[in-house]
Structures are given as structure tokens and as C-alpha cells.
Amino acid sequence: MELSPRDQVMLNGELGAAAQMALRILTTMSRVYGAPRLLDIESAHIDGCLYHGFSGLEFARKLLNGGARVVVPTTLNVGAVDLLHPEYFRGSEENGRYAQELMQTYVKMGCQPIFTCAPYQSAQRPAFGTQIAWAESNAIVFANSVLGARTNRYGDFIDICAAITGRAPAVGLHLAENRRGQLLYQLANIPERLLHEDVLYPVLGYLIGERSGSKIPVIEGLPPTTTEDQLKALGAAAAASGAVALFHAIGVTPEAATFADAFQNQEPEQIIPVTLADLRATLGKLGTAPDGKVDVVALGSPHFSLAEFAQLMPLLAQFPPHPDVEFSVATQRLVLAELEERGWLEQLQAAHVQVIVDTCVVVTPIVKAQKGVLMTNSGKYAYYSPGNIGLQSVFGSLEECVRSGAQGRVWRDDGVWMVDD
Amino acid sequence: MKQFQARILAGGRASGPALVLPEALSLWGGLDPETGEIIDRRHPNSGDNVAGKALVLPLGRGSSSASSILLEAVRQGTAPAAIILAETDAILALGAAVAREMYDQAPPVVVVDTAVYQQLRTGQTVTINEDGLISFQ
């Protein structure tokens, strides 16, 4: 494998033990990926700050003690503890302590403590075409698809190795030719109303994730007005039900201004029509519980944006949560500060809505209910809730979630998934 | 004794009884690193224990946090002795590479040809050497 002079200096240990170990891991992984060299990256996003066991903390401590400092702007994904509200953590005292130390260890390496899975809705975002090393499946798919930045699917350990060295294996989605669309999903006769409903997007994403394998999907038929929050929901669901790291939406996402751009002037390998019936079938698979009693309403995976809170506030004013229902929304600190400024946080607290930052309810014990049903508008929560926290899931639109939370039973807006009159 | 060349994703030598999984497994949410037990209740091998086994599976699956679970299993002494795959899996290779850095021990992770893969049976003693030569009865 071809090493740059600076790579060689790091590998020799001249920039410290941490950089040496990081580069050694990167070269080992380059052989696994079949990458002939490393390339420079301009930013990193780290998922390794979520506690999975003591070994992850030992790894971070070893890096820090070896002089680790990130050399590119680096943000942190969620940890296991809401550091602004540590009392929300319901795991063991020991795990809580180690989980907090893990988060702080990454901060000490120079990572920005934003602790969010939506770093792309934070202050800085990578520019179109830039090489980055991002971890966390929804962040990866958003960065590649919506921003047009270039990252492979990085995860624990290799993410921080890239941030410390500023290098990543030159392979896969870092290279333009590997970003060509392969599968064409054609929306066929989807009702106009549904195309503009937020609830369409996680369902469509889930369907695409299930059917795409490791291929790059292209969607034809989304309105040019599709919002970033809708694309965020689509990508997160596709990365939960499948391994999607990049999708294109013709006329919407930046590498797909035209059909020819999306497929880099080649033909799709397969054309897959998506009908209303397909979407309704997927809708039925998103949750694991039938419509009935609701114990928990959880929103904010990926983390809620300010625009999403702006939709939530009037609904909550009209349909405040039932006292027996736990209602939580996960977001990032920047958005929390905005909520405070606008007086919305006070209103949320008055309605007994728990606002969580730095973490989310499916990666750490926060929800009080040990069993029962969790309702959500997040494809990702709906997917992971039964396995990770033992709560069966029901999926619905934001309005369905709020109104269900108000009555403690699932409320449905049947018009959304119907054919136009 | 049959002997074949495997492709090394993470090197090392190991020997142990084979445990062949007919389906891919996500270690995150699928393996308890405290016990080595497969805890994905939808997996056909739910309840089996991977500790000390030559774990044979088509590939890993799901979350990239699988590398964290493999590292934790090495720390707790519940990791497989070796991992034998039908397809390259970078996440498992990474877990093993980091375990080698941290604890100076890790299961070798190798990929074998389909023809070899299909000959592996649960219970056979499988041995892998540093050069990626894999042998079994």
C-alpha cells in the first residue's frame, strides 16, 4: 500500500502513540477494503462516544493517553447519558459513570460536544464534494445524499482513527465513479396529498432500505419542494431497514439534477415501481403492535429540528398528552437553546413533555415503561424499539402521534393513505 | 485432514470446534459479550454460545457497533476463537484489529471460498495458522 510521507511519519510514531495506533488500524482496514492508499478528509463525525462496554472506554483512554488530538473539525454523535439532565439515565450507576467518562474523553481529544445524530442540522456542514469520515448510519446517508459530501459507512473506532490522522481509505463512496445510481424507484400514481405529507418519507425510506441491498437507489417522482427534514427521515429509515449509505432523488438531491446525472449517463440495473399499495404494505410492517393502547410517545430520531418543533407546538397546544402517557422528544443542544429563547421549552414542560438532548430513547435506558407500546413518527425508533428497549412499536404521522398521546390510544387519520378523490 | 488457503482480514492463529450459523448475525443486539450467548431471538442459533468456537457465518449484519461488541467479548473472554466468513465483513475485521491493539489477542477473521465454506460443519475441529491456512477433518 502507498503511504504519503506524513503517513509514514505517523506510522513511525513520530507524531505520538495515538496517531501511530490510529494509522496502523487504518492501514489494516485499507487492506480489508482493498484501498491502495489513504486520502485527506475535511471533517469527521464520531459514533464511538456511545457506551457499549468497558473496552470502548479503555480504547478511548489509550488514545487520549497517547496524545490523541483530532486534526479536522470533528463532531460527536449521541452518548448514553443526557449530560444536561443526567438524572434521566435509568441504567446502573457504574454504567452511567463510565458512559459519561467516555463522552468526556472524546471531548478532551478536541471533538465538539454537540452529541447529536443530526450534526448536519448544526452550525457547520461539509460542502458539496468534500471528503469526510462520518459515522452513524443516518448521518452518513444524509451527508452523502443531501449534502453531496463523500463518506463511506464508518463506525466505532475507525471514525476517531480518521479524525486523529485526517486520513481515510481511498475506496468506495469517496470515489465519484462509485456514487452512480443503480436501482430506479419510480413513484407510480402516488396521491398528491401524500407526496407532501411528512409521514410518506420514513415509509418510502424503509421500503427502499429493505429492497436495495448494497446498491445505490435513485428515486424518481419526489416533488422539488421536498424538505431536508423529509429527506432526513427517508434516509434514516433506509439506513435502519437496510444498508443504504447514499440515495439520489432526481431533481431534489445535489448529484441528481437530472436522470442522466443520477445514473452517470448509464442505465439503471433495475426499475422498481412504487405504488400506493406497496407503501401501505410497508406501513403495516413498520410497527410491531396493533393499534390500541399507547404507553409512550417518542419523537426525535434523528434528533428533532426547530422546524419540526414548530409543527409540534400547535398540535400539543390542541392535544396535550394524557397523564398516563410518557411523551419524549430528543433533540440537540442548539435546538434546545432556541426552544428556551422562544418560550417553547416552558410550554413543553408545562405539558409534561420530556425534552432529551445528547442521547435518544432507543440507545440508552431513559423511558420509564418497561413494557407496553411506544408510538413514534420515526422509522428508526419503530425499527429498533422492540429489540433494544423491549417496547413494541406503532408508527404514525406527527399528528397521529400527538393525538394518540392525548387519548392514550392510537388515533388514525385515515385520509392520508387513501387514493385521491 | 483438508487444508485450504483463506483470505486474511485480521491475522492470527487459532483452533476450536466449529459453530456454523446458517444466517448472518448482527453482534450488536445479537451477542451478549458477558456470556458469549447469541441473544437475537429471531436467529436460528439463538441460545448457542460462541465462546472459544470457530464461528462460521456468511457475514455480519446491521450496526457498525458490532466491532464494539466483538472487542468487549475479547475483553471478557467470551469471543469466538476464530471467525470464518463467506464474504468480506469490514466491521468484524475492525473489531479484531482493535482487539489486537488493545489486548494483544483477537480471533483471526478470514474469508473462504464458497466451496470450502460449504464443507464446514458444526463440531469439526478447525485450525487456522498465521498464513491463513485453514484445516479441518
Side-chain angles (χ1 to χ4, degrees), chain B residues 69-86:
Chain B
I69 303 303
L70 182 56
L71 179 68
E72 185 62 17
V74 170
R75 184 183 78 86
Q76 301 213 23
T78 63
I83 297 175
I84 300 158
L85 299 158

Side-chain angles (χ1 to χ4, degrees), chain A residues 45 77 116-120 132 134-145 147 151 232 235-236 239 245 302 380:
Chain A
H45 181 65
N77 203 66
T116 182
C117 52
Y120 44 79
I132 62 174
W134 276 28
E136 210 287 322
S137 65
N138 108 83
I140 293 164
V141 70
F142 192 97
N144 272 321
S145 313
L147 303 182
T151 182
K232 161 174 106 168
K380 196 166 172 172

Side-chain angles (χ1 to χ4, degrees), chain A residues 30-98:
Chain A
S30 292
R31 277 193 291 276
V32 171
Y33 290 124
R37 63 186 180 87
L38 302 171
L39 49 72
D40 284 334
I41 53 157
E42 293 181 35
S43 88
H45 181 65
I46 309 291
D47 198 18
C49 50
L50 177 63
Y51 188 75
H52 294 291
F54 191 69
S55 52
L57 177 57
E58 285 193 307
F59 173 77
R61 282 177 179 168
K62 183 168 182 173
L63 284 177
L64 185 65
N65 294 337
R69 289 292 297 178
V70 301
V71 298
V72 293
T74 301
T75 47
L76 291 173
N77 203 66
V78 300
V81 177
D82 175 343
L83 295 180
L84 299 186
H85 313 94
E87 68 280 8
Y88 290 170
F89 182 73
R90 305 178 72 81
S92 75
E93 186 273 331
E94 185 181 71
N95 278 353
R97 195 154 32 86
Y98 289 150

Side-chain angles (χ1 to χ4, degrees), chain A residues 281-411:
Chain A
T282 303
L283 178 68
K285 283 193 283 186
L286 260 166
T288 56
D291 286 2
K293 187 166 176 286
V294 172
D295 303 284
V296 179
V297 174
L299 311 173
S301 176
H303 276 168
F304 241 40
S305 66
L306 194 63
E308 288 170 309
F309 274 107
Q311 290 176 278
L312 174 66
M313 297 308 295
L315 281 169
L316 272 177
Q318 214 182 336
F319 307 104
H322 190 280
D324 295 340
V325 172
E326 269 183 86
F327 200 115
S328 86
V329 190
T331 189
Q332 55 177 308
R333 293 178 183 195
L334 265 181
V335 175
L336 181 72
E338 288 279 345
L339 294 180
E340 229 167 338
E341 194 152 309
R342 286 162 197 242
W344 291 0
L345 186 63
E346 213 174 317
Q347 293 171 35
L348 289 162
Q349 284 164 343
H352 300 287
V353 171
Q354 184 182 43
V355 179
I356 298 164
V357 295
D358 299 348
T359 188
C360 86
V361 302
V362 299
V363 300
T364 197
I366 281 190
V367 171
K368 293 191 196 80
Q370 301 287 311
K371 54 185 171 52
V373 172
L374 176 147
M375 185 162 182
T376 183
N377 69 343
S378 155
K380 196 166 172 172
Y381 269 172
Y383 185 82
Y384 285 113
S385 172
N388 287 16
I389 58 170
L391 295 174
Q392 298 307 309
S393 58
V394 170
F395 173 84
S397 69
L398 180 66
E399 185 181 359
E400 286 173 334
C401 287
V402 173
R403 295 184 68 166
S404 300
Q407 62 183 35
R409 294 192 68 80
V410 174
W411 178 89

Side-chain angles (χ1 to χ4, degrees), chain B:
Chain B
M1 188 71 87
K2 301 172 193 166
Q3 214 170 42
F4 302 94
Q5 182 64 50
R7 189 166 99 82
I8 300 174
L9 301 185
R13 51 194 287 190
S15 183
L19 172 62
V20 180
L21 309 187
E23 283 181 19
L25 175 71
S26 167
L27 296 195
W28 187 64
L31 180 74
D32 180 353
E34 281 188 22
T35 60
E37 188 192 324
I38 294 175
I39 51 169
D40 178 349
R41 298 303 171 215
R42 289 159 300 181
H43 196 279
N45 293 86
S46 172
D48 285 351
N49 199 297
V50 306
K53 304 280 170 55
L55 185 66
V56 180
L57 73 169
L59 77 166
R61 190 174 64 78
S63 166
S64 59
S65 297
S67 35
S68 281
I69 303 303
L70 182 56
L71 179 68
E72 185 62 17
V74 170
R75 184 183 78 86
Q76 301 213 23
T78 63
I83 297 175
I84 300 158
L85 299 158
E87 281 180 46
T88 297
D89 187 294
I91 305 288
L92 294 175
L94 176 62
V98 174
R100 173 92 40 214
E101 292 282 347
M102 292 300 299
Y103 303 119
D104 217 19
Q105 53 165 318
V109 182
V110 301
V111 180
V112 293
D113 292 340
T114 314
V116 177
Y117 186 86
Q118 285 169 349
Q119 296 178 41
L120 289 158
R121 298 282 177 274
T122 291
Q124 283 171 331
T125 300
V126 179
T127 303
I128 297 174
N129 76 7
E130 279 99 345
D131 301 322
L133 274 179
I134 174 169
S135 46
F136 54 93
Q137 287 296 320

Side-chain angles (χ1 to χ4, degrees), chain A residues 236-267:
Chain A
S241 68
V244 174
L246 165 65
F247 68 87
H248 301 297
I250 297 169
V252 179
T253 59
E255 287 168 75
T258 65
F259 185 96
D261 288 346
F263 289 99
Q264 296 187 5
N265 299 309
Q266 297 189 35
E267 288 303 313

Side-chain angles (χ1 to χ4, degrees), chain A residues 170-256:
Chain A
V171 72
L173 296 178
H174 287 297
L175 310 178
E177 65 268 27
N178 297 328
R179 300 173 66 84
R180 175 175 62 82
Q182 291 163 301
L183 307 176
L184 176 63
Y185 290 86
Q186 276 177 326
L187 299 187
N189 299 318
I190 304 301
E192 193 60 24
R193 175 184 169 195
L194 185 57
L195 283 176
H196 298 278
E197 292 281 353
D198 293 344
V199 74
L200 167 68
Y201 292 83
V203 177
L204 179 60
Y206 195 96
L207 180 152
I208 287 169
E210 273 195 323
R211 297 193 191 177
S212 296
S214 53
K215 304 274 187 183
I216 297 173
V218 178
I219 308 160
E220 187 178 54
L222 288 184
T225 52
T226 306
T227 67
E228 283 202 354
D229 282 324
Q230 290 169 339
L231 296 170
K232 161 174 106 168
L234 190 161
S241 68
V244 174
L246 165 65
F247 68 87
H248 301 297
I250 297 169
V252 179
T253 59
E255 287 168 75

